[in-house]
Amino acid sequence: MKAQRPADVLGMSEDHIRGEYLRVRQGKTQAKLRIVVENALEELIEEIRTFKAARPKQSAPLLVNERGAPMTAAMLRKRFDKARKSAGIDITTFQFRDLRAKAATDTDESAGIKDAQTLLGHSTEAMTSKYIRHKVGKKVRIKAPKKGSESR
């Protein structure tokens, strides 16, 4: 669910989980993704299923409200705004769209811009590069020469 647009996350349902993948068709670009359900995402989905099972309303969408009914865009926005306020973060400092940029930056640093581009569903690297933020400089790793080889 990382890096997906709010509308796409709200549209995700248990029906989209097949085997080890969460299948997503992004609304804006129609890009298709198979997000591997593992690690933190697997734990989150299990937590959601446990939460939903204990509620009177049962629905397929992954994001539900306190009663188990599907979450709407307005509900998601309200909860995000409340969390931001509780954290003492000013609205001009951090907005919902910053989550997508953070995911793009993290993916670029760990796997490269091509993977970030795929994750965000962009058709060009140029579009993805607009989301990537290296405020403190791009992370680089210098590889040590292999033992036994000398550099000249």
Side-chain angles (χ1 to χ4, degrees):
M1 299 190 336
K2 177 180 177 180
Q4 302 308 300
R5 293 174 185 89
D8 294 332
V9 174
L10 289 167
M12 291 177 184
S13 88
E14 293 196 50
D15 300 334
H16 297 145
I17 301 170
R18 295 191 197 117
E20 64 185 83
Y21 298 106
L22 171 60
R23 296 175 183 268
V24 176
R25 179 185 291 256
Q26 296 178 329
K28 184 175 179 181
T29 63
Q30 298 302 303
K32 293 179 184 178
L33 298 176
R34 289 179 302 142
I35 300 172
V36 179
V37 177
E38 62 184 4
N39 305 320
L41 179 58
E42 185 174 28
E43 291 171 20
L44 175 62
I45 289 173
E46 190 53 42
E47 187 177 326
I48 289 169
R49 286 177 168 157
T50 301
F51 177 84
K52 287 169 58 174
R55 299 296 173 275
K57 284 193 169 228
Q58 297 294 314
S59 59
L62 288 174
L63 290 187
V64 296
N65 67 13
E66 293 77 5
R67 294 185 335 265
M71 177 110 27
T72 66
M75 290 175 187
L76 182 61
R77 165 62 56 197
K78 184 177 179 180
R79 283 158 178 80
F80 179 80
D81 290 346
K82 184 178 177 182
R84 182 179 51 212
K85 186 176 181 178
S86 293
I89 300 171
D90 183 67
I91 190 171
T92 59
T93 305
F94 186 73
Q95 298 178 26
F96 202 94
R97 67 175 175 251
D98 293 321
L99 295 172
R100 195 161 152 81
K102 169 85 168 106
T105 303
D106 290 350
T107 303
D108 177 51
E109 287 189 348
S110 66
I113 194 166
K114 279 291 193 193
D115 283 351
Q117 177 185 345
T118 301
L119 184 63
L120 271 63
H122 291 155
S123 56
T124 67
E125 281 186 28
M127 176 57 74
T128 304
S129 68
K130 292 178 183 180
Y131 281 75
I132 296 170
R133 300 179 182 160
H134 296 291
K135 293 181 180 178
V136 293
K138 184 168 175 66
K139 182 171 93 176
V140 294
R141 182 169 279 124
I142 300 172
K143 294 182 180 180
K146 293 179 183 178
K147 285 190 172 196
S149 67
E150 293 183 32
S151 7
R152 295 183 186 229

